[in-house]
Amino acid sequence: MILNRKLFQREYRILNLYEEYKMEYEKLGLIGIVPNPIMDLTTKDIAYTDNAELMDCITHKKNVTLYYSEKLFQCSDRFIKAVLFHEFTHISDAYNFVGMEYSNFFMSTYSEFNAMRVEILLKNGNKIPMLDDTICDENGVTTPRKEIEGYLNFIINTFKSSRMYPEKIKEKAEQIGSIFLKSYSWMFAYLSFYEETEKKYFESCFNRLEKCKQKELVKELYKEIQSVEYIKSDSQKIVLDIVDLYSLCFE
């Protein structure tokens, strides 16, 4: 009975925050959601929607499942709202790409960039944080610099591993590739706040990718994924750039 009450309270809270999101961002026409606990205890996800299911639900005007972990509700209220608003942004963004051939690429780039910017602001009380300001995260607090460095190190280490252990990388290319692309989008989201205010640090992050032969390609991607209008008008360009990026790391 206690578990059922907790489940009801969590799902009620998610639904209330979804209504708050729709009001705040003037997205009243979004499809509904069905909160569903993640039963896989090994997963690191704390909340997500499935892109393929999301596209189908928008097409057929059905409620989409929003999966959430019990771990989410062990975090601060600010973090819970930030993460859920991130997921709600994906639902909103998906409408732009329904029926497009490479919708998953666009959701993993433009939408991850867009949703992470929403999340970052909410983690800092709806204000842009300085590079070394503390913001909430799953384990308490972090800083934008730590987050950027974490994504950048993952990207560089993935590249190094692909050279040292090519067969192992190829075995998990699909799984690693998805996280790899999202890590770029999340890093871009953080960096977008510091392009003008922390120019030296902004450039240094791209310069560190020079040894991996990714710098110019990645700077191009950084510009491309910020505009849904650009993606829709020249979708082949971003797809080819993503393929080039993948070929550097997974072939």
Side-chain angles (χ1 to χ4, degrees):
M1 190 64 145
I2 294 173
L3 283 175
N4 286 340
R5 187 180 298 136
K6 280 187 178 179
L7 191 66
F8 173 79
Q9 288 170 340
R10 288 168 183 168
E11 295 187 356
Y12 182 75
R13 187 173 180 190
I14 291 170
L15 292 169
N16 277 349
L17 282 170
Y18 192 44
E19 292 306 312
E20 182 180 330
Y21 174 87
K22 289 192 284 186
M23 291 291 290
E24 188 169 329
Y25 290 91
E26 297 182 355
K27 303 284 187 180
L28 299 180
L30 295 182
I31 56 172
I33 57 171
V34 179
N36 191 33
I38 299 170
M39 303 312 294
D40 180 3
L41 298 178
T42 65
T43 184
K44 292 182 179 179
D45 290 312
I46 55 175
Y48 69 91
T49 53
D50 178 84
N51 283 341
E53 182 193 354
L54 182 49
M55 298 296 167
D56 180 70
C57 288
I58 292 172
T59 301
H60 296 98
K61 298 180 180 178
K62 301 185 299 184
N63 292 344
V64 67
T65 303
L66 187 145
Y67 298 94
Y68 68 91
S69 167
E70 185 178 335
K71 291 181 287 187
L72 175 63
F73 289 93
Q74 296 168 4
C75 301
S76 68
D77 287 346
R78 181 177 286 186
F79 183 78
I80 292 169
K81 180 175 179 177
V83 167
L84 290 175
F85 270 45
H86 177 126
E87 295 308 317
F88 301 155
T89 302
H90 285 319
I91 296 171
S92 174
D93 287 343
Y95 281 79
N96 292 303
F97 307 119
V98 169
M100 293 186 72
E101 186 177 0
Y102 297 103
S103 61
N104 200 48
F105 272 169
F106 306 139
M107 290 298 291
S108 296
T109 51
Y110 168 80
S111 189
E112 290 295 351
F113 174 88
N114 196 25
M116 183 55 85
R117 278 179 58 90
V118 169
E119 180 178 326
I120 292 163
L121 288 171
L122 287 172
K123 283 178 175 179
N124 195 51
N126 242 347
K127 302 188 298 291
I128 298 171
M130 301 295 284
L131 261 178
D132 294 303
D133 283 352
T134 55
I135 57 175
C136 64
D137 78 345
E138 185 178 350
N139 300 309
V141 295
T142 185
T143 68
R145 190 189 301 273
K146 284 181 184 176
E147 293 295 287
I148 293 167
E149 293 296 322
Y151 297 134
L152 190 52
N153 287 335
F154 173 77
I155 290 162
I156 292 170
N157 289 334
T158 298
F159 183 86
K160 288 179 180 176
S161 296
S162 72
R163 295 297 174 268
M164 295 171 64
Y165 313 105
E167 293 308 315
K168 287 186 179 180
I169 291 291
K170 283 179 182 177
E171 284 175 15
K172 298 183 178 179
E174 186 175 347
Q175 178 187 359
I176 296 172
S178 175
I179 300 170
F180 179 79
L181 188 57
K182 287 179 181 180
S183 293
Y184 261 121
S185 302
W186 296 332
M187 181 181 74
F188 289 160
Y190 273 99
L191 285 175
S192 67
F193 290 116
Y194 310 112
E195 186 171 0
E196 296 301 323
T197 59
E198 298 282 354
K199 290 183 178 180
K200 286 186 179 179
Y201 180 73
F202 178 87
E203 278 297 328
S204 75
C205 290
F206 290 98
N207 290 340
R208 285 165 62 183
L209 296 164
E210 187 71 58
K211 291 181 181 177
C212 307
K213 301 179 182 177
Q214 297 180 54
K215 179 184 175 183
E216 294 309 318
L217 174 57
V218 170
K219 289 193 88 168
E220 188 66 23
L221 273 169
Y222 172 73
K223 295 173 188 173
E224 291 171 354
I225 70 168
Q226 297 185 41
S227 168
V228 69
E229 288 79 13
Y230 177 87
I231 293 170
K232 295 184 87 169
S233 66
D234 197 358
S235 59
Q236 290 299 313
K237 175 73 168 64
I238 185 172
V239 170
L240 289 174
D241 283 346
I242 291 169
V243 169
D244 285 346
L245 181 63
Y246 272 35
S247 67
L248 280 172
C249 300
F250 301 109
E251 290 185 3

